[in-house]
Amino acid sequence: MKVLKFGGTSVGSVSSIKTLLDILKEENKNGSKPVVVLSAMSGITNLLISMAEGAAEGKEFTAELAELERRHFEVVKALLDIQNQNPAYTRLKIHFNQLEELLQGVLTLRELTAKTRDTILSYGERCSAMMISKIAAQHFPDAMFVDASELIKTDSAFGNARVNPELTDLLIQTFYKDHSDKLLIVTGFIAGNDAGQITTLGRGGSDYTAAIFGSALNAQEIQIWTDVNGMMTADPRMVKKAFSLEELTYTEAMELSYFGAKVIYPPTMIPAFLKKIPIVIKNTFEPEFAGTVIRHDCKSSSLPIKGISSINNISILSLEGSGMVGKSGFSGRLFSLLAREQINIILITQSSSEHSITFAVQPNDVEKAKFLIEQEFELELLANKLEPLVVEKGQAILAIVGENMKQTPGVSGKLFHALGRNGINVRAIAQGSSEYNISVIISATDLAKALNAVHDAFFIQLTKTLHAFCLGTGNIGKTLFNQLNAHRDFLQKNNGIQVKIAGISNTRKMVFNADGLPLDSWEDELAQSHHVADLKTFIHHMKEMNLPNCVFIDNTANPAPIGFYEEVFKSNISVVTCNKIGNSASYSQYKTFRDTARRHGVDFFYETNVGAGLPIIRTLKDLMSSGDRVQRIEAILSGTISFIFNYFKGDANFHDVVKEAQEKGYTEPDPRDDLSGKDFMRKMLILARDAGYEMEAADVQIDNILPQTCLDAQTVEDFYAALKSEDAFFANLKDTAERDKKVLRYIGKLENGKASITLQMVDENHPFYMLSGSDNIISFTTDRYKDRPLVVKGPGAGAEVTAAGVFADLINVGAN
């Protein structure tokens, strides 16, 4: 036989009760007559508590009592045939009259004892079980209401009574023997003492009732019907990627439940655990789903952990001082004091030096605990042998749980890497000797972020989510969004990465969405946004959203975002940028960015600073990190100038070729940033710095291509006018090169700590002679690549390749 327990949501409405009856009909088809344990209707227990506590304070309860009656009467009216309604109404009305008398007594006396409270709360289960037994009888004539207070016997610790297992088992077994042909509908949560007074079984009491009956009757299994698909890998309200676990051991389920998983309460499992009876967590609203089985002998799992549990509001107290060191019995004295006063300790951690103890309690216990400790250790505090007690509120516990942790190396490392990478400070750590659980105390404000980061780290069969905040919606920004949209499925399948664009800003508006902006309609979302663009506000909101695995993407050529990079790094957010201004400003700023990113465990990727999408920065970093030494770098790193000189031949006009380059998106907004050599200089400077040279912009010697009149032009339009007037100058350069069978090349060189950029005429024997289109080329001569330099060549400009470089940097952040 089976024991089926239905929670408050499963009996909370007409539709859910119909579903419950359907479940019982399926059981009946299989010839099974389960014992059915019922909770109060959802919300009713809270309503009863409110009435009782309000009455003790002198508050009227008539309206709440009317609401209680209305909810039960509505179910009777909807689900019972008319001829069967009056007996149910009568029985319910008797209960409500008794309840009213009790509440009136509390109101008169202005006193609510634990015994009276238990009696008041019992009406929730008694009303629901009686009512549903009447409804069930229309489908199952053998349905029978059972008041568990007559069968489950406890002591008189009202509110959380202790069960007498021997007497209880005997009473249940005797009762079941006499009524095994009946469908028993049993009240959950309530019990009775030897004097026949009502007691309650504490939090999770209805689950406990089911386990007690299951153990007494040696049930085949105990089913807990609730409103979720079994036990999840994490709280689905905070971790959207949480999924149901197929099975758990009793130990794993107890650990998860103790640290916040609300599906089942740990004491519930003890009777089942002792008899090795499987507990199945099922969803009333999706009964076909298999749910989670909690059993003694789980099959082996490849997962290092089974789940991540959490308690989202705790307080911690820390006691330290020399008076604790080597003082035998100190901890016993402390925790015996708290135990005597019924203060539950959630977690304890003590330094190996015995100099400090930190422990966590519920927030409503913290002031009482503080008073008791300061009273108990008054002499030690006055003698300065103990430091003043430190209380920290607004904390949370995150715990990873799983029996495989014991035999899987690196679990704690993965946990703390995921937390550290996301800037989550760990206040205290505790790990049991069983190695089934590692618990950390963190700020409650970081809990959702921490749960998602840790979930991504451990459940590698799921995609890792990156939350990107993007500045700039020009050619590069738009192209990046198109590429991300087009390759979304590929990224998930091959890289296990999902990129959500959580924020976008241009110079006019900004928009945010923690769930990710739609990449096929982001322009509409941005246009309809009411947020006026403001860079400082954008950065602040990105930090305030506190999402895991964040990346700040700067797709601008604007100096303003650079001023926020350091703040972003300090917020444990990685930066991907195609903006060269930051790395090519002062060397101290360049070094600060690198050092800050490293210190906060995040990435700073800027591959597109040099050579657009070409792997130039990455190649140089790989050479340097492997111990190679750069002897010389020669390069053409301006795709713009490369394009211009490759097409500036024959009858071509220099002005027209520059104009065409800008129209194709190869130039900066102001082409002089390219033609003046300034943009090229930035790239050479970044390469020099990445090669290990402490170099400033002034140290790069630049041979200007443009005459001074072009450089002095006030606007871009004026620049083009000046350029046209200098046709003869450029035509002379072209004719001279063609006469000597050479081509014009603007070449950068780094050697012996000196960098220069010069316009050269090279013949067909030079490796840069055959360059075409907007290609870039770079040659690395190193200790290892001395005789035959390492050459990287390819497109060095254009929105597609630059966006692809940003894309690649983003994926590398995900890989880390």
Side-chain angles (χ1 to χ4, degrees), residues 718-753:
D718 292 343
F719 157 71
Y720 275 114
L723 197 61
K724 197 161 190 66
S725 69
E726 296 287 353
D727 272 351
F729 170 78
F730 291 105
N732 182 53
L733 284 174
K734 179 184 66 173
D735 293 343
T736 303
E738 289 179 348
R739 186 179 60 247
D740 296 338
K741 296 182 179 180
K742 294 181 178 181
V743 292
L744 293 167
R745 294 286 182 259
Y746 202 40
I747 300 174
K749 185 177 180 181
L750 174 68
E751 189 171 20
N752 297 324

Side-chain angles (χ1 to χ4, degrees), residues 96 122 129 189 244 357 369 386 438 549 561 579 665 721 774 787 802 812:
F96 296 147
S122 73
F189 180 56
S244 298
I357 293 177
L386 290 178
I438 301 176
N549 306 322
N579 190 338
S774 62
D787 300 325
T802 305
N812 280 315

Side-chain angles (χ1 to χ4, degrees), residues 226-232 244-245 281-283 286 289 291-292:
T226 180
D227 55 0
V228 293
N229 284 334
M231 294 192 78
M232 313 283 280
S244 298
L245 292 161
I281 313 295
K282 301 273 284 179
N283 188 346
E286 201 175 325
F289 191 83
T292 301

Side-chain angles (χ1 to χ4, degrees), residues 219-381:
Q220 175 192 337
E221 69 180 31
I222 299 165
Q223 295 180 359
I224 307 294
W225 289 84
T226 180
D227 55 0
V228 293
N229 284 334
M231 294 192 78
M232 313 283 280
T233 50
D235 187 339
R237 294 168 299 180
M238 288 191 272
V239 182
K240 292 187 177 178
K241 288 189 281 187
F243 58 91
S244 298
L245 292 161
E246 183 181 342
E247 60 179 9
L248 294 165
T249 65
Y250 292 111
T251 305
E252 289 170 334
M254 284 182 182
E255 292 281 359
L256 284 170
S257 299
Y258 180 75
F259 283 98
K262 301 290 192 295
V263 177
I264 194 167
Y265 188 53
T268 297
M269 288 176 270
I270 294 171
F273 174 72
L274 294 173
K275 293 279 186 78
K276 297 182 180 178
I277 300 169
I279 301 173
V280 185
I281 313 295
K282 301 273 284 179
N283 188 346
T284 305
F285 307 100
E286 201 175 325
E288 66 280 359
F289 191 83
T292 301
V293 181
I294 302 169
R295 65 170 91 243
H296 173 71
D297 51 345
C298 284
K299 60 179 180 283
S300 60
S301 168
S302 60
L303 296 172
I305 68 170
K306 283 290 182 70
I308 309 160
S309 199
S310 56
I311 303 174
N312 61 7
N313 187 19
I314 59 147
S315 297
I316 57 175
L317 296 92
S318 298
L319 199 58
E320 62 178 83
S322 59
M324 296 167 60
V325 179
K327 190 80 171 178
S328 60
F330 184 91
S331 298
R333 184 178 161 198
L334 171 64
F335 295 119
S336 295
L337 165 71
L338 298 174
R340 280 198 308 272
E341 298 297 327
Q342 301 293 306
I343 295 173
N344 183 44
I345 306 297
I346 301 169
L347 177 150
I348 305 167
T349 180
Q350 181 173 15
S351 65
S352 57
S353 65
E354 299 182 18
H355 189 262
S356 66
I357 293 177
T358 297
F359 58 95
V361 298
Q362 294 291 348
N364 53 3
D365 286 332
V366 71
E367 294 302 327
K368 183 179 180 182
K370 181 175 184 292
F371 172 78
L372 291 168
I373 292 167
E374 288 175 343
Q375 188 179 56
E376 175 73 18
F377 297 100
E378 183 179 9
L379 294 177
E380 289 90 338
L381 288 163

